[in-house]
Amino acid sequence: MSPDQDEATGWTVPVHTGVLVLASGEAISGFGFGATGAAVGEVCFNTAMTGYQEILTDPSYAGQIVTFTFPHIGNVGVNDEDVETVDLESRSGVRGVIVAAPSGDPSNYRALRPLGEWLAARGIIGLSGIDTRALTTLIREKGMQNAVIAHAPDGVFDLAALRAEAAAWPGIDGMDLVPSVTAPARYEWDETVWRQAAGYGKRDGAKFRVVAVDYGVKRNILRLLAEAGCEVIVVPATTSAKDILALSPDGVFLSNGPGDPAETGKYAVPTIRELLERKVPTFGICLGHQMMALAVGARTTKMPQGHHGANHPVKDFTTGKVEIVSMNHGFAVDRDSLPANVTETHRSLFDGSNCGIALADRPAFSVQHHPEASPGPQDSHYLFARFVDMMEKARA
């Protein structure tokens, strides 16, 4: 921040170098950090206390400005191991980050650089020094807001232009954001999970072949599939069912991703339907869950504030257990629209929204939460074993 001198008092007054301008017209001033410039997106809040680097590199956040409710963001710095985009250097699509207070020098043995420096390198605009509790309350009461986040070192902003840009942005409802985050070409994945002192491993042999359709997949999902003994082939979001089946998969995985599932579903749902008709074992997460639901005739709806955090209680009706899960979604499957051949397997204990389904007449299931994100820390890892069991039965 650049200080100004108050002539009357002689005090040094900090200059506001950052601003959040809502589509409704309000301008909230703070202090910019990270990248400079302006970006438009949907403002959501995330209640996680840890994992900010994973959150800010999650492709599912494309088009969004993330407000952290936890005040101490950036205190452990960043490293090269916790990035969730497959390409370490690629941008996840997140438009900006809002925190209560700036962090000082990072304090962690894994830290390679401070958060602000890392954000600048990745082109992500940061804003600190605003009342994040008030902003969170606004989102809870009025829903996620379209806004522009801006950072100018001199503190000079054209607020009229920023208001016009925020008001003109159409919003994520009705927007297909998958093309901005999907893989450009097919590739194979063999990296397994991280272990203390050893780092990430490599898969040794494989029992099953899984084709993962990339709508914005996270690295740790692919690691857990490899850890479960799967040869993983990742394909772009627009890959046809014919091309997927030509790879002779034992199972298909439908990944997480950003945007409106109904829009992505215009090209993804026909592919999923054909795979389900062929009775290929299929497992979906997040956006993959929503599009599997669309493929069997259910509907999805936009949520007022979404679910973003690492502390969401979800009940698994197949086991009777309650799991603490990680979530990141702004759309939900309408549980009342599920057809008769679909069983609801998981439900949020916060608001009763649908969080999982299984097909009665096909080897397929999906969940709304992120089992790979490990908030439990391993409450939901059994889902990968469930997928393997499904492939085992189908093969038999």
Side-chain angles (χ1 to χ4, degrees):
M1 69 186 72
S2 303
D4 275 354
Q5 198 78 16
D6 186 287
E7 296 181 359
T9 63
W11 294 345
T12 299
V13 180
V15 173
H16 287 136
T17 58
V19 66
L20 180 72
V21 180
L22 305 181
S24 54
E26 298 96 326
I28 306 170
S29 297
F31 304 104
F33 66 105
T36 58
V40 63
E42 179 184 78
V43 186
C44 65
F45 66 83
N46 188 299
T47 56
M49 298 173 65
T50 60
Y52 55 82
Q53 186 178 350
E54 290 92 336
I55 291 165
L56 294 175
T57 55
D58 179 354
S60 297
Y61 276 109
Q64 292 187 298
I65 300 167
V66 182
T67 303
F68 285 99
T69 61
F70 187 66
H72 305 298
I73 299 297
N75 52 353
V76 295
V78 294
N79 58 68
D80 290 339
E81 293 184 320
D82 292 344
V83 173
E84 281 291 354
T85 52
V86 172
D87 181 350
L88 291 175
E89 299 302 320
S90 71
R91 298 183 183 182
S92 67
V94 65
R95 301 290 175 86
V97 54
I98 301 172
V99 299
S103 59
D105 293 333
S107 178
N108 187 276
Y109 75 98
R110 297 173 69 221
L112 296 181
R113 59 172 125 174
L115 175 61
E117 181 182 320
W118 179 82
L119 290 175
R122 297 186 74 88
I124 301 172
I125 298 171
L127 178 63
S128 70
I130 75 167
D131 189 341
T132 52
R133 289 188 176 186
L135 181 56
T136 298
T137 300
L138 173 67
I139 294 170
R140 289 186 62 182
E141 293 177 350
K142 297 185 178 181
M144 292 180 283
Q145 304 288 300
N146 293 346
V148 172
I149 186 171
H151 173 202
D154 60 4
V156 177
F157 300 98
D158 185 343
L159 293 180
L162 295 179
R163 286 189 177 98
E165 184 179 3
W169 194 62
I172 290 177
D173 196 359
M175 189 176 289
D176 177 22
L177 292 170
V178 168
S180 67
V181 295
T182 189
R186 188 177 80 192
Y187 64 91
E188 295 188 15
W189 182 274
D190 65 357
E191 186 177 81
T192 56
V193 299
W194 188 91
R195 289 180 172 84
Q196 184 74 31
Y200 295 112
K202 291 290 184 181
R203 186 197 70 242
D204 183 17
K207 189 173 182 181
F208 301 99
R209 174 178 288 178
V210 171
V211 173
V213 185
D214 179 14
Y215 304 117
V217 72
K218 295 171 66 177
R219 296 171 69 90
N220 214 42
I221 291 175
L222 300 178
R223 293 188 191 109
L224 284 170
L225 287 170
E227 185 79 13
C230 299
E231 174 192 359
V232 182
I233 303 173
V234 185
V235 298
T238 54
T239 304
S240 68
K242 178 182 178 181
D243 288 342
I244 291 173
L245 293 169
L247 296 171
S248 302
D250 295 296
V252 171
F253 173 75
L254 309 175
S255 88
N256 61 291
D260 187 338
E263 288 300 308
T264 305
K266 289 178 179 178
Y267 54 84
V269 162
T271 296
I272 297 169
R273 281 180 179 157
E274 184 169 348
L275 295 171
L276 294 177
E277 288 170 2
R278 297 291 191 96
K279 296 189 176 182
V280 179
T282 306
F283 173 30
I285 287 177
C286 203
L287 182 63
H289 161 69
Q290 295 161 358
M291 289 193 296
M292 184 184 291
L294 290 173
V296 296
R299 297 186 302 271
T300 56
T301 59
K302 186 77 163 64
M303 304 175 76
Q305 64 188 45
H307 286 168
H308 309 278
N311 57 350
H312 286 252
V314 165
K315 185 168 184 177
D316 180 352
F317 294 117
T318 66
T319 64
K321 294 181 179 180
V322 174
E323 306 162 36
I324 300 302
V325 307
S326 180
M327 286 190 170
N328 170 27
H329 59 104
F331 292 80
V333 173
D334 180 357
R335 52 194 301 266
D336 294 330
S337 70
L338 294 173
N341 67 325
V342 176
T343 300
E344 182 179 48
T345 58
H346 296 72
R347 187 182 300 174
S348 168
L349 298 185
F350 273 160
D351 61 8
S353 59
N354 171 264
C355 292
I357 61 172
L359 275 60
D361 53 354
R362 299 287 187 277
F365 72 99
S366 59
V367 292
Q368 183 64 79
H369 58 277
H370 281 266
E372 86 293 339
S374 306
Q378 298 180 5
D379 285 12
S380 304
H381 284 189
Y382 70 91
L383 291 166
F384 292 91
R386 185 177 289 181
F387 182 40
V388 168
D389 289 342
M390 181 176 285
M391 289 188 287
E392 185 82 69
K393 291 176 182 177
R395 178 182 286 181

